[in-house]
Amino acid sequence: MGMSAEASIEKASSLGEATEKRDEVASSEYQEYTDLLAKFDDTRVKSLLRRVDIRLMPPLAILYLIAFVDRSNIGNARLQGLERDLQLSTQQFAWCLTIFFFPYALFEVPSNVMLKLLKPSVWLTLIVTSWGVVMTVMGLCQNYSALLACRFFLGVFEAGLFPGCAFITTAWYKRFEVQYRVALFYTAASLSGAFSGLLAFAIGKMDGVRGYSGWRWLFILEGLATVVISTICYFLIPDSPGSAKWLSPDEARFLELRLQFDGNDKGSKEGGFQWKYVIQGFTDSKVYLGTIMFGAICTCTYSLSYSLPTMINLLGYSAANAQLLTIPVYAFGCIICVANSVLSDRYRHRAAFIIGPMFMTMVGLIIGMAVDPNKLPGVIYFALFLVAGGIFSGIPTTVAWISNNLAVHDCLCGAVFVYYLLLLEWMGVVVYGSQVECAKGRAS
């Protein structure tokens, strides 16, 4: 008993000393932060953040743009004869869409562990290069099995991009500066639809070149472009303020400390990988609440992304014109996304800016179900604008809500959040199949 009591006292003493030492370090760092605040007035902080935006956002946006283009261009390829050339049934095509999400969900958490073990810039370059190779190989597929395998590995390598981009963003910006930045690179998802439609229209003109169909050139050229872009972005993406050579020592330290003391005078630091963070991710109720919200939005997102060219085609437009008519829809979604995020960060409020876009989406879906596309195709096309504006602007707000409500170290919790929601996203693909069949019936 005496030895046990003595050991307990010694342990308590050690914990007390460790706590006292940590408080002393935090106190000295807070004093350092206070001293730096005297040098950085509001004008200089805004100027510094603009420099960070210019350096950080374009490469992240480009990576997310090509990710969304590469995962959704199969919808454009369908209009260029993919199903016919590979002799796919509607069910087989739906499986080629669905298979992407299973490895995407499964490898989400491992990918975030790798973010802890490797530099984000290194890990992102590896996975982007890998899926670029897979995308190129997709253009050489000769049957259903080969296409299915390529879509599976595309999901494996794309799994780490979105959490990687979000992780880098939260390493540079304070809580109520995050959503606007997430929106900046997420708008690449909405722009990707417009960009993908324009590329599909242009590359489709290569049909027959060297004996390859237009959809094959679509996959091959976009895959090669992905590999080239990933190599360039490696040199452009800074992992943290401390690793950015274009910042002065004072600027880098100021950016680090303003995050450390964001809403907490005692400071909070990013720690290394620990399994307890993974456990927290699976047991945090906020992760599940975020999953419900984001899962519902993503069901609509992927249903729209994969089916939009086909739906417009079924409204009576030619395949080529349907590709072009997707551009205004996605452009509108991009504009609403940025505007919604700017207002949400300005007013430091999330809920209303999640509910509002969802109401817009609901109105668009109701119009789509109530109106006869044979009599009023223009009204259906207008409804697609409402759906796109709502779902694309709702996603950054939900991501910001999650990041604002999780601890600093919880990029792993965020990975678990995305893991769960991706298990729901395949529903969007299932909806896609039934939606297209239903649309075919109504348009006939």
Side-chain angles (χ1 to χ4, degrees), residues 160-339:
L161 182 68
F162 184 78
C165 291
F167 175 72
I168 291 175
T169 303
T170 56
W172 286 83
Y173 300 102
K174 296 169 70 172
R175 288 176 299 162
F176 289 104
E177 297 168 347
V178 166
Q179 182 182 339
Y180 172 61
R181 275 74 186 189
V182 171
L184 285 180
F185 75 75
Y186 187 78
T187 50
S190 55
L191 286 176
S192 71
F195 191 61
S196 184
L198 187 61
L199 277 178
F201 176 78
I203 296 176
K205 302 295 184 181
M206 295 181 65
D207 186 45
V209 175
R210 294 188 175 273
Y212 284 173
S213 300
W215 66 266
R216 292 189 183 277
W217 283 115
L218 182 68
F219 290 152
I220 292 171
L221 294 180
E222 290 184 358
L224 292 174
T226 298
V227 174
V228 173
I229 291 171
S230 69
T231 305
I232 297 172
C233 283
Y234 170 76
F235 299 99
L236 301 178
I237 299 177
D239 298 307
S240 65
S243 65
K245 297 180 180 179
W246 41 270
L247 291 175
S248 69
D250 276 356
E251 290 173 335
R253 187 60 176 159
F254 174 72
L255 289 173
E256 291 173 344
L257 291 175
R258 72 192 295 267
L259 291 184
Q260 184 176 332
F261 294 100
D262 181 20
N264 183 2
D265 290 346
K266 292 186 177 180
S268 57
K269 287 187 175 182
E270 174 73 16
F273 169 74
Q274 295 184 38
W275 280 107
K276 70 176 182 179
Y277 298 155
V278 178
I279 296 172
Q280 287 174 4
F282 281 101
T283 56
D284 193 331
S285 61
K286 295 188 292 294
V287 171
Y288 294 93
L289 180 59
T291 298
I292 294 171
M293 294 191 298
F294 206 5
I297 299 172
C298 285
T299 298
C300 295
T301 300
Y302 284 98
S303 180
L304 180 73
S305 298
Y306 287 131
S307 65
L308 185 59
T310 302
M311 285 193 292
I312 295 176
N313 178 234
L314 292 173
L315 291 177
Y317 298 97
S318 67
N321 286 336
Q323 304 278 24
L324 293 176
L325 286 172
T326 62
I327 297 174
V329 177
Y330 284 114
F332 178 78
C334 174
I335 293 170
I336 298 298
C337 178
V338 173

Side-chain angles (χ1 to χ4, degrees), residues 81-159:
L82 171 67
E83 280 183 295
R84 180 193 65 244
D85 291 352
L86 298 187
Q87 299 180 342
L88 303 179
S89 66
T90 301
Q91 189 66 29
Q92 287 177 324
F93 183 76
W95 269 111
C96 288
L97 302 181
T98 305
I99 195 67
F100 171 88
F101 294 100
F102 294 109
Y104 199 115
L106 183 63
F107 286 91
E108 193 73 42
V109 174
S111 181
N112 276 261
V113 172
M114 293 303 297
L115 281 173
K116 291 282 189 175
L117 300 178
L118 295 176
K119 291 180 178 180
S121 58
V122 173
W123 180 241
L124 291 181
T125 301
L126 287 174
I127 61 175
V128 175
T129 301
S130 298
W131 93 57
V133 173
V134 171
M135 177 57 57
T136 304
V137 174
M138 278 180 62
L140 306 177
C141 291
Q142 300 298 324
N143 53 49
Y144 166 63
S145 298
L147 182 62
L148 194 68
C150 285
R151 289 286 297 178
F152 177 87
F153 284 105
L154 188 65
V156 170
F157 295 120
E158 282 204 26

Side-chain angles (χ1 to χ4, degrees), residues 379-399:
V379 176
I380 297 293
Y381 186 61
F382 167 75
L384 294 175
F385 281 80
L386 297 180
V387 174
I391 59 177
F392 284 118
S393 57
I395 286 180
T397 320
T398 307
V399 171

